[in-house]
Amino acid sequence: MDDDAAASPLFTYLRTKLPDLLERAVSEGWKVAVPQASSLRGAAISQALVESHLLRQTAIRDEWKTANGRTVVVVKDSGSGSVRLTAGRGFPVQGNTVSVLAEDLWYGPSSDQGLQLVSVSEPLEKDSLSTLNSYATTVLEGEGGLPQNAYLRGGGRATLPSAEVARGDGGDEHRWCEDDKKCLEYIEGIAGSGRPLAELEGRLVEFSRTYIFARNYEGETAEKLRGFAMRFAEETGAPCFDSAYKAALCHTINILESKIWSSLKDIYAEDDMKARSAMSRKLSASCSGAGISEEFQDVDFSEPVSGFRGLDETQSPAMKLFCLQGIQKKTIDAIRKGKNHKGAVTVFGTSQLGSGGSSVVGTDELLPLWIHLVSRAGVENLMTNFVVIKFFSFFSLIGGGEHNNFLVTLMESLVNYFLY
Amino acid sequence: MAPNPKYTDYKVVVLGEGRVGKTSLILRYVRQIFAENQQATIQASFLTKKLTLGNSRVQLAIWDTAGQERFHALGPIYYRDADAALLVYDITDRDSFNRVKNWVKELRKFVQKEIVVVIAANKQDLARNQQIPDEESQEYAKSIKAGHFKTSAKAGKGVEHMFLHISRQLLAQKSAEISTAAASGGSGPRGTVTTGRRSVIISDEPAGSDAKSSCC
């Protein structure tokens, strides 16, 4: 997803060619619906198109008017929480619906008044692609210049790596961590990977036979494994160095996951046992012993609970992290399902769920809830799982970035809560 | 998503007692337009916001924290590598203001680097029940060289301006570090090349020494 609204052709056109309109939009608090760059590939940008994407609120809830007087309606899906814009009166094609992807803020030089940029999946005007104007094409040609120049052994042009991999969006890393065969397929597709791969695997065998894990030295161990992957990528001289490095790192962890898991489980056995005892005490104290909100007590949390149990069922550090991502989603889904029959709630209102709770799940709610769910799941190896994820999932390299960092920190707070 | 090299990433941790409106402030800022009357349950423990400030691009990773007293000891896990701390209190609750003072002491004690500190006097929509006079909180913010903002997550008042101030302070701090590093022949802040995430020069100086004293 190209979500850089501030650099998009439509907004660039507004900023550079229509400064008066931009000034008006800022001063009057309008919003700009910015179609993602790929949806405008080959499209013409004109003043009319820009005006059709400048939105000002009307007195009618969820109805907006464009700068050229057309109507746009905001449609919110109460189930998924997604938001869409629908082109209404005045548009050549009415009923065209686009998804809202993100909301960014843009500030001009030395201005305190921001302009809200709303990234949308496609232009609101269906026929915009046929308008004549060459402005956008030149801008877009240089964007998303994705490295499609990886060469297969034997000189053929490879289709790998995909755009997502090259950008580190995480889709392929997921597949590589789940199935080492796919990871190897990718690595073997990199030109000149034969000898470096054999050497990498030699190092891994040596490591597996001789290396001894030690408490509080996991960071150094992880660094050593990173070094193996880095060396592989350097030796292949792959055009997409980053992807080769990531694939080699995934392969490294796939090969060693069993050793990592069993070694750390031994090291942290006592902590895991202590955490399990704390979980049992928490459960037996009272059903709301962890301090979860009353409104959560009749929600069916069986899905996230089994998610927590799933942490013990895989040895792969990355899959454990993906499991954590899934648990967060399942937790929110469970609350959403539990709330549906109780009526609507507002975000900034009095936070009422039927007769008592917020629809916003912040950390005030999430942390005690996860403490409760972990206790119910009786996670066998909480501390080991945390250490494995923190040091060996290489979460900054795989999809999710800072969000993964947040999840790992949340898990660290669970560990601290139960152990200290 | 991997760090976007076009943006500089900053971690902003939001601290404050339970029910002071931390999560609502985050949500009001990040999902400003379309969240009102939102019918679905929203996850708001961690959200990101991108800003373009002139020629600079900033991505704020905004971390919500659990404010309940029983989770107090977990605070350092969240703020230890933060670039900015937003301390929130409820103007109708004196205890929540006192907790802000405790957070400040803790940040000074445990965070071994300069971070931007900002205080949000939240729930301005309930001003008729205000317990902490503006002068008192502004004076306190001035004494610790922190920014001070009067906000209402419910009414949307002061929220965007406050985060704009935080972003500008972060950029100013980064620019000062680059100048310092250049003057001393260094190579600039660590981490910017490989991750896009800025690291801060470790200093024993009080946090937020360059912050404006008050912005209200």
Side-chain angles (χ1 to χ4, degrees):
Chain A
M1 183 180 80
D2 44 348
D3 57 354
D4 193 355
S8 76
L10 187 135
F11 185 64
T12 306
Y13 189 95
L14 172 64
R15 203 161 41 77
T16 56
K17 310 252 175 177
L18 306 168
D20 293 343
L21 193 57
L22 174 69
E23 196 182 323
R24 192 172 166 209
V26 171
S27 65
E28 295 186 16
W30 295 359
K31 325 290 176 194
V32 190
V34 183
Q36 57 176 338
S38 58
S39 72
L40 286 171
R41 197 172 290 273
I45 311 288
S46 61
Q47 179 162 351
L49 182 70
V50 173
E51 286 177 350
S52 294
H53 289 79
L54 285 174
L55 310 175
R56 53 203 163 89
Q57 198 155 18
T58 67
I60 302 166
R61 179 190 285 186
D62 293 336
E63 186 182 287
W64 297 66
K65 282 273 186 212
T66 64
N68 50 10
R70 296 168 175 181
T71 304
V72 173
V73 179
V74 178
V75 182
K76 298 163 191 167
D77 184 331
S78 60
S80 66
S82 66
V83 181
R84 285 168 293 135
L85 304 183
T86 301
R89 283 187 305 278
F91 278 92
V93 179
Q94 291 183 28
N96 180 32
T97 295
V98 301
S99 299
V100 171
L101 306 172
E103 296 174 31
D104 299 344
L105 271 175
W106 177 86
Y107 292 88
S110 65
S111 167
D112 274 1
Q113 209 167 346
L115 180 64
Q116 199 87 29
L117 306 183
V118 183
S119 294
V120 291
S121 54
E122 288 171 71
L124 284 159
E125 268 190 47
K126 271 254 174 170
D127 61 346
S128 61
L129 296 183
S130 61
T131 315
L132 286 173
N133 183 323
S134 61
Y135 175 78
T137 317
T138 49
V139 176
L140 284 166
E141 284 305 313
E143 293 196 1
L146 305 168
Q148 294 293 328
N149 53 346
Y151 288 89
L152 287 169
R153 218 179 290 189
R157 189 177 166 87
T159 52
L160 292 170
S162 69
E164 286 72 20
V165 174
R167 285 200 301 260
D169 287 359
D172 283 69
E173 287 90 330
H174 191 293
R175 286 196 297 125
W176 294 341
C177 298
E178 202 173 26
D179 183 355
D180 197 51
K181 270 186 199 162
K182 290 193 173 82
C183 188
L184 262 179
E185 266 170 31
Y186 178 85
I187 291 174
E188 286 169 356
I190 298 170
S193 67
R195 192 182 52 82
L197 179 60
E199 288 186 8
L200 171 67
E201 291 186 336
R203 281 181 213 115
L204 297 182
V205 170
E206 177 73 8
F207 179 93
S208 189
R209 261 196 259 140
T210 59
Y211 197 83
I212 295 168
F213 281 75
R215 193 183 179 111
N216 298 328
Y217 284 89
E218 295 87 358
E220 283 80 353
T221 309
E223 205 50 49
K224 194 175 174 67
L225 301 182
R226 248 185 237 271
F228 291 165
M230 188 65 78
R231 206 161 145 189
F232 166 84
E234 282 167 359
E235 283 171 357
T236 52
C240 294
F241 182 92
D242 199 38
S243 305
Y245 167 61
K246 284 180 185 175
L249 194 55
C250 276
H251 183 53
T252 298
I253 299 298
N254 291 343
I255 297 283
L256 297 174
E257 65 183 33
S258 176
K259 181 181 171 76
I260 294 171
W261 177 245
S262 58
S263 302
L264 293 176
K265 222 162 67 157
D266 288 346
I267 292 172
Y268 290 102
E270 203 177 311
D271 300 85
D272 286 337
M273 201 167 69
K274 205 171 147 188
R276 277 201 308 275
S277 306
M279 289 172 209
S280 304
R281 283 198 303 275
K282 185 62 63 190
L283 270 188
S284 57
S286 74
C287 65
S288 59
I292 64 165
S293 307
E294 274 180 28
E295 70 260 32
F296 293 153
Q297 290 187 4
D298 59 352
V299 173
D300 177 10
F301 285 115
S302 53
E303 285 280 311
V305 166
S306 59
F308 274 117
R309 287 191 187 119
L311 283 174
D312 284 322
E313 287 162 14
T314 173
Q315 295 184 342
S316 161
M319 295 313 292
K320 285 177 189 291
L321 179 59
F322 292 129
C323 183
L324 215 49
Q325 291 174 353
I327 293 168
Q328 188 185 21
K329 188 179 177 301
K330 284 171 185 170
T331 306
I332 302 297
D333 285 348
I335 295 170
R336 191 175 287 152
K337 280 180 199 160
K339 282 182 168 182
N340 277 347
H341 65 284
K342 294 186 175 180
V345 288
T346 63
V347 173
F348 299 110
T350 49
S351 301
Q352 295 297 302
L353 161 66
S355 57
S358 170
S359 67
V360 182
V361 182
T363 311
D364 274 346
E365 292 80 26
L366 190 61
L367 180 59
L369 185 55
W370 272 26
I371 287 171
H372 179 67
L373 300 181
V374 164
S375 302
R376 273 179 57 186
V379 177
E380 285 282 314
N381 306 287
L382 187 67
M383 180 69 171
T384 309
N385 275 309
F386 163 64
V387 175
V388 166
I389 293 172
K390 179 174 181 181
F391 292 101
F392 300 102
S393 67
F394 299 102
F395 57 84
S396 59
L397 295 175
I398 61 176
E402 192 72 4
H403 185 219
N404 287 336
N405 192 8
F406 175 79
L407 288 174
V408 174
T409 303
L410 196 60
M411 192 161 180
E412 184 175 356
S413 44
L414 294 175
V415 168
N416 273 264
Y417 181 83
F418 286 115
L419 288 181
Y420 309 115
Chain B
M1 192 186 303
N4 188 334
K6 288 183 279 188
Y7 287 87
T8 308
D9 292 342
Y10 294 102
K11 174 178 172 180
V12 181
V13 64
V14 184
L15 301 163
E17 204 172 5
R19 318 297 295 175
V20 295
K22 298 184 296 296
T23 314
S24 292
L25 275 175
I26 297 172
L27 210 55
R28 166 60 76 178
Y29 180 58
V30 176
R31 295 195 173 190
Q32 193 178 27
I33 311 174
F34 297 115
E36 282 177 279
N37 307 307
Q38 176 68 260
Q39 301 295 299
T41 298
I42 300 168
Q43 182 286 124
S45 296
F46 171 87
L47 291 167
T48 57
K49 181 77 175 177
K50 286 178 181 168
L51 290 92
T52 304
L53 297 159
N55 293 324
S56 305
R57 289 182 179 183
V58 169
Q59 178 163 283
L60 302 178
I62 307 173
W63 291 46
D64 191 19
T65 60
Q68 298 95 318
E69 185 63 42
R70 65 184 180 282
F71 299 129
H72 186 88
L74 303 176
I77 294 171
Y78 288 85
Y79 60 64
R80 65 190 167 199
D81 56 352
D83 300 306
L86 172 58
L87 308 175
V88 187
Y89 73 92
D90 172 354
I91 60 166
T92 68
D93 178 359
R94 165 68 63 178
D95 288 344
S96 71
F97 181 61
N98 294 337
R99 278 292 296 279
V100 163
K101 294 179 177 176
N102 290 340
W103 283 116
V104 170
K105 284 181 197 158
E106 246 189 64
L107 287 169
R108 289 278 157 79
K109 195 172 165 187
F110 292 115
V111 181
Q112 299 297 308
K113 65 179 185 181
E114 284 193 52
I115 65 167
V116 173
V117 178
V118 165
I119 295 174
N122 197 33
K123 301 198 183 178
Q124 291 291 328
D125 48 293
L126 302 176
R128 62 185 181 283
N129 299 323
Q130 185 162 356
Q131 297 288 312
I132 303 98
D134 291 345
E135 301 73 35
E136 184 184 343
S137 55
Q138 283 168 357
E139 192 58 37
Y140 173 69
K142 197 174 171 183
S143 73
I144 59 163
K145 296 187 170 69
H148 180 281
F149 290 83
K150 293 163 73 169
T151 58
S152 166
K154 187 174 180 179
K157 185 190 164 193
V159 181
E160 191 181 311
H161 192 45
M162 176 174 68
F163 279 101
L164 174 62
H165 169 83
I166 291 172
S167 306
R168 287 198 169 136
Q169 289 289 306
L170 288 166
L171 286 173
Q173 205 173 54
K174 181 189 173 191
S175 153
E177 284 163 18
I178 290 171
S179 305
T180 310
S184 62
S187 58
R190 289 174 291 127
T192 46
V193 176
T194 52
T195 65
R197 172 79 188 273
R198 151 188 175 277
S199 294
V200 185
I201 294 169
I202 293 171
S203 163
D204 291 324
E205 293 294 309
S209 58
D210 290 330
K212 286 179 191 167
S213 58
S214 176
C215 305
C216 304

